[in-house]
């Protein structure tokens, strides 16, 4: 099956779908550093800003994939925009409108199926109004049969990362999200054995983070650094990890904790060790923080391909297939 990779980032969707024998016929990513990583690993440069690409220039495909920009809908993104007095969600002047680029392409190219990924907060943003617009647009305006589910990547990876996945089919065919059997993988399983000293926090930064956490603790807030249990799961890796690494810190005996290395971030997202990391650490942290959890996407892709291949039609049009949430593993 042929698929396109929109808002491609560094190719997490592509890794998952190509590992199942699918062929990527088009990719789009506006960030030049992500384009560089994508080219280093897949051999071709994604087209640029999707807003400047006409539908006629996109090849025919069976499946559209997209992890469309989530910052306007994420908890952190909403808080940031509120603090700056900016609009968020669909009112955001640029990022929030990019969902409608997906709508444009779905309308013009009419692929058999799509897979979209976003933050869990998309469901509750603006008291559910944002998701209501998305749902009605995909179902009623475009005529897709929609399924959606929130999945925590901790089922297959050593980090808690709740994301909503939306799967749509042009025909009323049966689809089930995968029943994922959790695997026993912890932070210590993805750590490198020999790590440079530059990843260890300076005394100044470590003291600052401790003081910051204490200040918020006294105020009854939950803000603070995340010193991980090596035999457990980490917090969610974010694109801001490059700033101080505070959400995921690795304890060290006899010295200050350290950040994850870029390779460890890649492993935390399920990227294979063969995946090339050519860019700077700062760029790599942003890229992996913005990426998808590859093994989770692969499990969903398997079920999509199975549904498209078997085409077992539903007896009743699924006008209200509700979202489910897999049991979380802690």
């Amino acid at each position: 099956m042929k698929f396109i990779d929109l808002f491609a980032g560094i190719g997490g969707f592509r890794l998952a779908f190509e590992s199942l024998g699918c062929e990527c016929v088009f990719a789009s990513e506006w960030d030049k550093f992500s384009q560089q990583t994508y080219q280093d690993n897949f051999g071709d440069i994604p087209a640029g800003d999707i807003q400047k690409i006409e539908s006629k220039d996109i090849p025919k495909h069976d499946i559209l994939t997209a992890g469309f920009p989530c910052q306007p809908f994420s908890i952190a993104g909403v808080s940031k925009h509120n603090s700056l007095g900016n609009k968020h969600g669909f009112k955001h002047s640029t990022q929030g409108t990019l969902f409608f680029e997906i709508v444009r392409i779905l309308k013009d190219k009419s692929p058999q199926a799509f897979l979209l990924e976003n933050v869990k907060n998309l469901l509750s943003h603006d008291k559910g109004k944002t998701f209501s617009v998305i749902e009605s647009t995909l179902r009623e305006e475009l005529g897709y049969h929609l399924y959606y589910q929130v999945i925590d990547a901790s089922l297959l990876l050593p980090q808690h990362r709740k994301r909503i996945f939306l799967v749509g089919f042009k025909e009323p065919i049966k689809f089930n999200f995968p029943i994922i059997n959790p695997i026993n993988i912890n932070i210590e399983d993805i750590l490198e054995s020999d790590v440079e000293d530059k990843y260890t926090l300076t005394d100044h930064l470590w003291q600052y983070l401790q003081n910051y956490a204490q200040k918020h603790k006294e105020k009854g807030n939950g803000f603070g650094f995340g010193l991980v249990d090596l035999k457990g799961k980490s917090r969610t890796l974010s694109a801001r990890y490059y700033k101080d690494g505070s959400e995921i810190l690795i304890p060290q005996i006899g010295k200050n904790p350290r950040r994850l290395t870029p390779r460890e971030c890649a492993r935390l997202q399920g990227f294979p060790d063969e995946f090339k990391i050519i860019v700077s650490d700062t760029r790599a942290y942003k890229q992996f923080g913005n990426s998808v959890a590859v093994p989770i996407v692969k499990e969903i892709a398997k079920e999509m391909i199975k549904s498209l291949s078997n085409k077992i039609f539903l007896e009743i049009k699924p006008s209200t297939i509700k979202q489910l949430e897999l049991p979380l593993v802690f």
Side-chain angles (χ1 to χ4, degrees):
M1 294 182 179
K2 300 181 187 300
F3 70 98
I4 64 171
D5 194 8
L6 303 183
F7 309 103
I10 56 175
F13 276 102
R14 182 163 177 167
L15 277 176
F17 275 84
E18 284 192 338
S19 71
L20 299 172
C22 296
E23 178 189 359
C24 183
V25 294
F26 176 83
S28 170
E29 169 56 46
W30 71 274
D31 181 78
K32 66 179 182 179
F33 298 102
S34 294
Q35 286 181 328
Q36 179 183 340
T37 299
Y38 198 100
Q39 182 184 23
D40 290 336
N41 286 280
F42 300 106
D44 50 74
I45 303 175
D49 187 351
I50 193 63
Q51 297 176 99
K52 299 177 181 178
I53 299 169
E54 294 186 40
S55 298
K56 66 179 178 62
D57 295 324
I58 297 175
K60 184 178 179 181
H61 52 280
D62 302 298
I63 303 171
L64 177 150
T65 70
F68 60 104
C70 65
Q71 190 181 19
F73 310 117
S74 70
I75 294 172
V78 169
S79 299
K80 177 181 178 182
H81 289 306
N82 282 340
S83 67
L84 297 173
N86 296 336
K87 297 176 180 179
H88 53 81
F90 283 139
K91 296 177 182 178
H92 193 275
S93 60
T94 53
Q95 286 183 308
T97 62
L98 293 176
F99 167 72
F100 294 103
E101 294 300 317
I102 296 173
V103 172
R104 167 177 67 88
I105 296 167
L106 286 173
K107 187 174 182 179
D108 294 346
K109 308 303 290 190
S110 196
Q112 294 184 60
F114 63 75
L115 172 59
L116 310 180
E117 182 257 15
N118 211 289
V119 293
K120 180 187 176 184
N121 197 47
L122 182 66
L123 279 172
S124 57
H125 181 266
D126 197 16
K127 299 179 180 179
K129 294 177 183 176
T130 298
F131 191 76
S132 179
V133 171
I134 290 174
E135 188 175 15
S136 63
T137 301
L138 295 173
R139 287 191 198 277
E140 297 166 21
E141 181 180 334
L142 299 180
Y144 278 88
H145 300 265
L146 182 66
Y147 301 79
Y148 56 97
Q149 183 166 295
V150 173
I151 302 176
D152 190 337
S154 66
L155 292 163
L156 298 176
L157 295 169
Q159 70 162 316
H160 289 293
R161 190 182 192 86
K162 294 181 183 178
R163 291 294 184 265
I164 183 170
F165 293 90
L166 298 91
V167 175
F169 296 95
K170 201 64 178 173
E171 297 178 295
I173 58 178
K174 184 178 180 180
F175 170 80
N176 292 309
F177 275 93
I179 298 174
I180 300 175
N181 295 318
I183 63 172
N184 184 24
I185 181 170
N186 299 317
I187 284 292
E188 64 181 2
D189 298 319
I190 59 104
L191 298 182
E192 295 189 270
S193 57
D194 186 20
V195 176
E196 295 179 59
D197 288 339
K198 69 177 182 177
Y199 296 106
T200 296
L201 300 189
T202 63
D203 290 340
H204 180 268
L205 178 55
W206 179 222
Q207 189 61 54
Y208 168 79
L209 291 176
Q210 292 178 89
N211 293 342
Y212 182 83
Q214 183 61 35
K215 180 178 68 174
H216 281 283
K217 184 178 180 180
E218 292 170 355
K219 292 181 179 180
N221 298 328
F223 300 109
F225 56 85
L227 196 61
V228 303
D229 175 0
L230 296 183
K231 295 188 180 299
K233 311 283 185 176
S234 75
R235 296 179 181 180
T236 302
L237 179 68
S238 72
R240 68 168 298 283
Y241 190 73
Y242 74 95
K243 292 185 177 181
D244 54 30
S246 61
E247 66 258 43
I248 306 174
L249 292 176
I250 305 301
Q252 301 185 101
I253 299 173
K255 58 169 69 173
N256 296 341
R258 68 171 178 85
R259 297 178 176 89
L260 293 168
T261 67
R263 177 58 62 194
E264 290 167 343
C265 289
R267 292 172 179 174
L268 199 62
Q269 291 282 50
F271 283 75
D273 282 355
E274 301 79 48
F275 193 84
K276 299 173 186 175
I277 306 173
I278 309 297
V279 296
S280 69
D281 285 0
T282 295
R283 298 293 176 186
Y285 285 139
K286 288 182 179 180
Q287 290 173 6
F288 288 115
N290 276 326
S291 187
V292 292
V294 177
I296 297 294
V297 173
K298 183 176 179 178
E299 291 302 309
I300 297 170
K302 285 180 185 177
E303 295 301 318
M304 291 180 67
I305 294 168
K306 187 187 301 182
S307 292
L308 287 169
S309 300
N310 296 338
K311 286 197 174 180
I312 299 173
F313 289 89
L314 295 162
E315 294 181 7
I316 301 173
K317 184 177 180 180
S319 58
T320 54
I321 299 175
K322 297 181 179 179
Q323 140 270 352
L324 303 172
E325 185 163 347
L326 287 181
L328 306 182
V329 178
F330 294 92

